[in-house]
Amino acid sequence: MSEPATLTGNNHWTIWELVSERLQAELPRQSYLTWFRPLEPMSFDGEILTLQVPSQFYSDWIESHYIQHLKNAASEALGREINHKFIVSSNGKPSARTLAENRQVAESSPVPAKVNSRVSGSNDPFDSHLNERYVFANFVEGDCNRFARAAALAVADAPGKTPFNPLMIYGGSGLGKTHLIQAIGNMILNKQSARKVIYVTSEQFTAEFIKAIQNGKSESFNRLYRSVDVLLLDDVQFFMTKEKTQEEFFHTFNYLHQTGKQLVFSSDRPPRDLEGFDTRLVSRLQWGLVSEMTVPEYETRLAILKRRAEEEKIDLQEDVAQFLALHITDNIRTLQGALIHMLAQASLVGKTISVGLAREVIKSLISKADKVISVERIQALVAEEYGFPSDLIRSKTRKKEIAEARQVAMYLCTEFTRLTLKAIGLHFGGRDHATVIHARETVNERIKIEKGFAELVDQLHRRLELASI
Ligand code: ADP
Ligand code: MG
């Protein structure tokens, strides 16, 4: 490592992402949505994180009600205390000074910045809610996302004019769905800033909808969402069971679709698995193109990590990159989170970014994490390792291999869940607590004497630890 690592430059988005995650976990959803979601990170100079608030009222309110939350979230996310500063945007738009500052930072970064996406072509400011970091240029292509990416590019190139309308992208958490759908919006605005693009999560959509009804403003809510050229709706699975919102959305969908506007959705599962969804809505979601994003293979994980390091100006050695990409396998957010945590540690105590530090950081992330993992998750992981479907683990079969896998899964449940032995037994086809104790003892004994078995359990242990970061 040639230079000491520092947390400056264009890191403010990343830092704010990490801090926001903590805030979301800490605060009631509504408080988070109301007070923190509208904030925008403007800069970070290594000490002070500057946040833009929509009005003075926000900063006053946060200072008097949430300041401790903000401080705690920041120190947890970064492993050290930092200061913050609020600046108020004028008329809902960033002030001239902050815009200039913003552009400076953006220009010095390798990420292409969008020029004018927050303001529509007309004079009234229109907030698209897009994050300028999410662009195609820094979205790494791999087998896991090739098709979804190509479809997204086609849509961004000719919104509303391809058969991919709506475009529906689904896949597990942290695999790049938000990045990809926002990249569509950023690209459209970069080419045609007069277009009205709006990005919203279905949670936000629901919250706004409810607020609009309460305040007798449903008309303007409707008008807003029906006036857009491109609607990017993230995480539609949150609409499950929210019937009234679904109904409203259904009408908006029809209106936009009929008028040739582009619709893009993401979800953590395919449309057919959206339980509690109106069947008409499920079928609408499947009208265009449905594309899956899957877990990235090792090479792609490595490439994403390197790309991100470059973006953050981190001198990341090959062995460290490989170590992280090898050990953090199923979530890109976690993978990048580890990189940023490592940078924070390195800049704090002047350590170099090494495999040793990577190991420490991964460990410390793990010990801080809430280690609660579901029994189903453990069963699925073990079954995958042994190569059979996970319901066999819960079955009555006494076949040797399955019985072994079952014991290993029970053992891991005693390590990773907070369930009682009795409750664990119940998850395994109604077995009693003595069976669970027996499984635990057997596994412990075998670990001591069988090397191959010990390695297998160790491997599963590691995967579960990482999954709980
Ligand atoms: P999701 O919405 O599926 O939960 P996100 O879009 O929030 O996931 O992605 C999590 C993080 O991983 C983001 O920081 C995103 O930029 C990054 N990321 C995901 N996929 C890629 C990719 N293919 N190339 C570069 N960065 C990626
Ligand atoms: Mg997302």
Side-chain angles (χ1 to χ4, degrees):
M1 194 57 219
S2 46
E3 281 174 36
T6 48
L7 269 172
T8 53
N10 204 27
N11 284 305
H12 50 284
W13 280 108
T14 313
I15 289 173
W16 184 237
E17 218 176 89
L18 291 172
V19 176
S20 298
E21 260 173 34
R22 301 276 163 167
L23 284 168
Q24 274 188 73
E26 289 291 314
L27 291 172
R29 181 175 301 285
Q30 200 53 48
S31 315
Y32 171 78
L33 287 178
T34 311
W35 299 108
F36 290 99
R37 182 91 92 183
L39 269 50
E40 194 170 309
M42 303 305 284
S43 67
F44 182 63
D45 65 3
E47 287 303 324
I48 299 173
L49 177 64
T50 303
L51 297 165
Q52 181 182 275
V53 288
S55 67
Q56 185 66 37
F57 184 61
Y58 276 77
S59 47
D60 292 348
W61 189 270
I62 293 172
E63 291 285 1
S64 58
H65 291 82
Y66 295 110
I67 200 61
Q68 209 46 48
H69 287 98
L70 181 60
K71 282 187 189 303
N72 292 349
S75 73
E76 270 178 37
L78 302 172
R80 66 168 163 132
E81 308 226 321
I82 56 164
N83 292 320
H84 68 275
K85 189 170 96 187
F86 291 121
I87 48 173
V88 179
S89 74
S90 52
N91 310 325
K93 280 196 263 177
S95 68
R97 210 184 113 245
T98 53
L99 253 187
E101 280 175 1
N102 210 12
R103 194 162 303 137
Q104 233 178 15
V105 173
E107 271 163 11
S108 66
S109 107
V111 186
K114 66 185 170 24
V115 187
N116 197 19
S117 73
R118 300 186 62 80
V119 182
S120 72
S122 62
N123 281 335
D124 56 324
F126 180 79
D127 192 348
S128 64
H129 301 296
L130 288 168
N131 178 338
E132 64 186 14
R133 208 183 75 69
Y134 294 140
V135 290
F136 283 106
N138 60 9
F139 187 83
V140 175
E141 186 178 351
D143 290 342
C144 54
N145 60 37
R146 185 160 295 130
F147 190 59
R149 179 179 168 277
L153 262 174
V155 162
D157 199 39
K161 300 209 164 56
T162 69
F164 312 151
N165 199 13
L167 171 62
M168 164 80 152
I169 289 170
Y170 76 90
S173 172
L175 298 185
K177 300 182 298 295
T178 298
H179 188 139
L180 195 57
I181 73 172
Q182 290 214 18
I184 297 175
N186 278 322
M187 182 163 157
I188 292 171
L189 285 179
N190 269 341
K191 288 204 296 191
Q192 285 176 289
S193 57
R195 295 264 189 157
K196 244 179 164 177
V197 176
I198 198 162
Y199 165 85
V200 66
T201 68
S202 56
E203 281 172 298
Q204 269 169 300
F205 186 91
T206 305
E208 284 178 26
F209 175 59
I210 291 169
K211 207 160 123 203
I213 291 181
Q214 283 166 352
N215 301 338
K217 297 228 171 88
S218 16
E219 265 306 301
S220 59
F221 176 85
N222 284 344
R223 222 176 307 122
L224 171 72
Y225 280 99
R226 288 176 197 191
S227 72
V228 301
D229 298 307
V230 181
L231 174 62
L232 309 167
L233 185 71
D234 209 355
D235 291 321
V236 292
Q237 74 273 6
F238 285 117
F239 276 159
M240 287 195 287
T241 72
K242 302 202 177 70
E243 285 162 29
K244 269 196 104 174
T245 319
Q246 273 188 42
E247 186 66 31
E248 179 52 44
F249 174 66
F250 185 71
H251 294 308
T252 305
F253 180 108
N254 284 343
Y255 181 85
L256 292 174
H257 198 265
Q258 277 159 15
T259 48
K261 305 301 163 67
Q262 179 69 46
L263 295 138
V264 180
F265 308 120
S266 88
S267 158
D268 70 352
R269 66 202 77 186
R272 63 172 182 280
D273 293 345
L274 289 164
E275 292 143 24
F277 260 56
D278 185 308
T279 47
R280 292 172 307 168
L281 190 51
V282 173
S283 93
R284 292 282 195 282
L285 293 175
Q286 293 171 316
W287 270 357
L289 181 78
V290 179
S291 178
E292 185 181 8
M293 303 220 338
T294 53
V295 174
E297 52 285 8
Y298 171 74
E299 286 74 19
T300 310
R301 296 201 297 275
L302 193 60
I304 291 174
L305 204 55
K306 287 181 178 171
R307 184 75 189 69
R308 186 64 190 261
E310 203 179 293
E311 210 175 285
E312 305 287 351
K313 302 199 168 54
I314 305 171
D315 183 4
L316 184 64
Q317 308 269 306
E318 187 67 26
D319 55 345
V320 183
Q322 288 177 1
F323 181 85
L324 289 176
L326 200 66
H327 285 87
I328 304 181
T329 56
D330 55 2
N331 186 322
I332 297 167
R333 188 179 297 116
T334 312
L335 186 64
Q336 298 189 344
L339 181 69
I340 302 303
H341 279 276
M342 216 164 64
L343 180 62
Q345 289 295 313
S347 70
L348 185 66
V349 288
K351 286 187 183 173
T352 54
I353 294 185
S354 62
V355 171
L357 180 61
R359 194 174 280 124
E360 265 175 45
V361 164
I362 291 181
K363 253 210 229 135
S364 80
L365 283 172
I366 291 163
S367 65
K368 262 195 219 148
D370 184 6
K371 283 198 185 171
V372 181
I373 290 190
S374 75
V375 173
E376 289 71 27
R377 180 85 196 263
I378 294 172
Q379 291 172 337
L381 195 75
V382 175
E384 185 192 299
E385 191 69 36
Y386 278 84
F388 49 72
S390 60
D391 43 353
L392 279 184
I393 288 198
R394 293 183 287 270
S395 74
K396 299 279 175 214
T397 316
R398 286 171 191 271
K399 263 174 95 175
K400 187 161 170 286
E401 231 206 354
I402 294 165
E404 174 181 317
R406 188 180 297 132
Q407 286 188 330
V408 171
M410 282 181 175
Y411 163 85
L412 290 169
C413 285
T414 65
E415 296 267 300
F416 283 94
T417 72
R418 295 195 184 138
L419 297 174
T420 60
L421 297 170
K422 187 168 172 216
I424 292 174
L426 289 174
H427 277 90
F428 285 81
R431 288 172 164 85
D432 64 12
H433 84 286
T435 312
V436 183
I437 294 178
H438 177 67
R440 193 178 161 82
E441 283 169 355
T442 311
V443 171
N444 270 328
E445 282 309 306
R446 287 187 62 190
I447 285 175
K448 287 186 206 145
I449 46 181
E450 294 172 44
K451 191 153 172 281
F453 182 75
E455 271 167 15
L456 174 102
V457 175
D458 187 48
Q459 159 85 1
L460 285 165
H461 221 278
R462 260 209 322 267
R463 284 183 68 186
L464 283 170
E465 280 182 346
L466 288 170
S468 70
I469 288 178

